[in-house]
């Protein structure tokens, strides 16, 4: 199992997943954070999740994921690479990240930024002494 997880890590590096995705707060913000992706309920029950993820990695253009309106390009990931990547993502999800990331829903970027009047005013008070 450790060799499979290691191969998955190497696959995510070789396919430059972090050019679009984030892992443990590192990487890009174009595509969903992968840190806890194994736990994402949109993949279905745990009984089918692994196969759903493997199929997605091999043919990502067939599915919009997480409602972000973007498709992952087909990176030519083979089935052994996909299975190893899923093992790596499953292992990643077991890391105690103290609640980060908090959810799997992307921020709705179509919402305009709050008006200045809606933002709480800054306070200039000194912090309480301990």
């Amino acid at each position: 199992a450790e060799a499979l997880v290691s191969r998955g890590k190497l696959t995510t590096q070789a396919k430059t997943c972090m050019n679009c995705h984030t892992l443990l707060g590192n990487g890009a913000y174009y595509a969903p954070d992968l840190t806890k992706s194994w736990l994402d309920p949109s993949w279905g029950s745990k009984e089918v999740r692994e196969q759903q993820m493997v199929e997605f990695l091999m043919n990502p253009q067939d599915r919009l994921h997480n409602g972000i309106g973007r498709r992952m390009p087909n990176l030519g990931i083979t089935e052994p690479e996909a299975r190893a990547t899923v093992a790596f993502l499953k292992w990643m999800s077991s890391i105690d990240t103290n609640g980060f990331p908090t959810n799997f829903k992307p921020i709705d970027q179509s919402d305009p930024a709050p008006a200045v009047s809606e933002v709480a005013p800054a306070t200039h008070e000194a912090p309480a002494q301990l």
Side-chain angles (χ1 to χ4, degrees), residues 107-121:
I107 296 170
D108 183 358
Q109 295 181 359
S110 66
D111 286 346
V116 173
S117 62
E118 296 174 12
V119 177

Side-chain angles (χ1 to χ4, degrees), residues 20-21 30-32 56-57 59-75:
C20 296
H21 294 279
Y30 181 77
F56 172 75
L57 289 171
N59 294 294
Q61 72 283 353
D62 295 343
R63 175 179 173 166
L64 282 173
H65 191 65
N66 262 356
I68 60 173
R70 299 180 188 136
R71 294 185 194 277
M72 183 174 139
N74 191 322
L75 301 174

Side-chain angles (χ1 to χ4, degrees), residues 1-10 12-13 18 23-24 26 33-40 46 49-50 53 57 82-97 100-101:
E2 187 176 323
L4 190 62
V5 169
S6 293
R7 181 171 184 195
K9 178 185 179 290
L10 293 174
T12 63
Q13 291 172 322
M18 288 175 59
L23 284 166
L24 295 172
N26 295 303
D33 187 304
L34 298 179
T35 306
K36 298 289 184 179
S37 60
W38 172 257
L39 303 175
D40 185 340
K46 288 186 179 180
R49 186 170 301 163
E50 182 172 344
M53 292 177 89
L57 289 171
R83 292 203 179 281
T85 300
V86 172
F88 173 64
L89 294 174
K90 188 175 184 179
W91 178 83
M92 287 287 295
S93 73
S94 70
I95 296 172
D96 181 2
T97 59
F100 175 84

